[in-house]
Amino acid sequence: MRVFAPNFCDACERRAPNEKNSIMVKVRLARAGSKKRPFYHIVVTPKENARDGSFIEQIGIYDPSRPIEEARVDHDRLAYWTGVGAQVSDRVSKVAKQHAKTVASA
């Protein structure tokens, strides 16, 4: 998984000086793949960044055309980011729950 330091993201540079330590962080999908064949990275990114823009950390991979068992989700990192206040998108929460259920039953 790729990790980038939060102080190198574009959103950190655009903030006012008094907001130095408070960025709104989101866990969401970043699209990859070619036309009509989507493939998604589950990333932690500042809320202001574009969908496919820079990110802090990549915590998983999701391909909707493949079975959910083949998705990769780092549940420990997801728990960490939600613990520090990151908002999780609806689709990421569904994918994480389905993935946890299939991994636990296997």
Side-chain angles (χ1 to χ4, degrees):
M1 301 292 168
R2 294 186 286 178
V3 178
F4 291 103
N7 57 351
F8 288 106
C9 65
D10 296 334
C12 299
E13 296 169 5
R14 290 191 304 257
R15 284 195 318 267
N18 60 352
E19 298 177 4
K20 195 95 175 154
N21 294 327
S22 62
I23 48 175
M24 186 63 107
V25 178
K26 236 179 133 99
V27 180
R28 63 182 175 202
L29 299 175
R31 186 183 164 135
S34 59
K35 183 171 143 184
K36 300 199 184 230
R37 296 182 66 194
F39 179 84
Y40 297 96
H41 298 280
I42 302 171
V43 297
V44 179
T45 182
K47 189 175 180 179
E48 302 88 22
N49 281 8
R51 179 192 69 184
D52 300 332
S54 64
F55 55 88
I56 299 169
E57 181 178 3
Q58 178 182 336
I59 61 172
I61 296 172
Y62 170 60
D63 187 352
S65 64
R66 310 284 299 203
I68 194 69
E69 298 88 26
E70 294 182 17
R72 290 190 305 183
V73 180
D74 190 348
H75 293 283
D76 295 333
R77 294 304 293 167
L78 182 62
Y80 166 78
W81 282 108
T82 55
V84 297
Q87 295 178 343
V88 182
S89 71
D90 295 338
R91 179 56 59 187
V92 171
S93 63
K94 287 179 185 179
V95 168
K97 284 179 187 175
Q98 289 176 350
H99 184 261
K101 187 190 297 186
T102 58
V103 169
S105 66

